C-alpha cells in the first residue's frame, strides 16, 4: 500500500512539473495599453500626412480615430478594452482604399512596432491578426 501511495504522489508531482506555464496574452507581451496607444498615435500621425495616404484622413477627427484604433488593437491582442467603433468593412466602405494605400499603412505600422522595440514574435502575431482585414478595408 505504501508503494502505491508513493507511486501516486510521484505521478501527480510529475504531472505538475510537465504542465507548461501559459503564455501571457499578446496585449501584455506587446507592452499593454501605453504601447498600443503610442504605436496607434505614431502610425496615424505618419499616414495622415503621407501624400500617398493622406486623402483618406481629410476631415477625420484624429483624436477620436487614434482612441478608436488603440481600443481596437487592445481588443484584438487580448486586452480588457472595449471597441465601440464600426466594423472594418463599414468604416472603410466609402474611402475606396487601394492595395497600395493599405500596404503603406502596414509598412508604417511595422516600422513603428520596430522603432518602439516590439519583439519580432509579437510584431508577427499582431500582423497575422490584422492581415485578414485587408479584404474589408481595400475596395480598389
Amino acid at each position: 500500500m505504501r508503494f502505491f501511495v508513493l507511486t501516486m504522489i510521484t505521478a501527480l508531482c510529475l504531472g505538475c512539473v510537465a504542465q507548461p506555464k501559459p503564455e501571457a496574452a499578446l496585449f501584455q507581451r506587446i507592452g499593454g495599453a501605453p504601447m498600443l496607444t503610442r504605436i496607434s498615435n505614431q502610425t496615424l500621425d505618419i499616414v495622415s500626412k503621407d501624400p500617398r495616404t493622406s486623402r483618406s484622413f481629410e476631415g477625420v477627427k484624429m483624436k477620436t480615430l487614434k482612441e478608436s484604433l488603440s481600443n481596437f488593437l487592445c481588443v484584438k491582442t487580448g486586452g480588457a478594452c472595449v471597441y465601440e467603433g464600426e466594423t472594418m468593412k463599414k468604416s472603410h466602405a466609402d474611402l475606396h482604399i487601394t492595395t497600395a494605400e493599405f500596404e503603406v499603412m502596414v509598412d508604417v505600422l511595422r516600422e513603428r512596432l520596430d522603432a518602439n522595440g516590439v519583439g519580432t514574435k509579437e510584431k508577427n502575431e499582431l500582423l497575422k491578426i490584422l492581415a485578414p482585414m485587408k479584404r474589408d478595408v481595400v475596395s480598389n
Side-chain angles (χ1 to χ4, degrees), residues 37-72:
T37 298
R38 183 178 318 131
I39 290 166
S40 298
N41 290 349
Q42 291 174 358
T43 300
L44 289 172
D45 285 343
I46 293 168
V47 296
S48 66
K49 294 175 181 126
D50 188 314
R52 300 171 294 173
T53 52
S54 61
R55 70 166 187 86
S56 299
F57 299 93
E58 293 172 3
V60 172
K61 294 177 183 171
M62 291 305 291
K63 182 179 182 215
T64 302
L65 180 59
K66 288 176 181 180
E67 289 172 5
S68 183
L69 179 58
S70 293
N71 287 334
F72 180 79

Side-chain angles (χ1 to χ4, degrees), residues 115-129:
N116 284 284
V118 173
T120 300
K121 179 182 179 191
E122 288 75 19
K123 176 179 69 175
N124 289 338
E125 272 184 64
L126 178 59
L127 293 172
K128 185 177 178 181
I129 290 167

Side-chain angles (χ1 to χ4, degrees), residues 9 16 29 61 72 79 81 91-92 106 110 114 130 138:
I9 291 172
C16 294
R29 291 183 287 120
K61 294 177 183 171
F72 180 79
C81 304
S91 64
H92 294 88
V106 172
R110 186 179 289 121
D114 288 340
L130 299 177
V138 173

Side-chain angles (χ1 to χ4, degrees), residues 4 7 11 33 35 76 96 99 102 113:
F4 176 75
T7 302
M35 181 62 76
K76 290 296 181 182
H96 308 290
T99 297
F102 182 84
L113 290 164

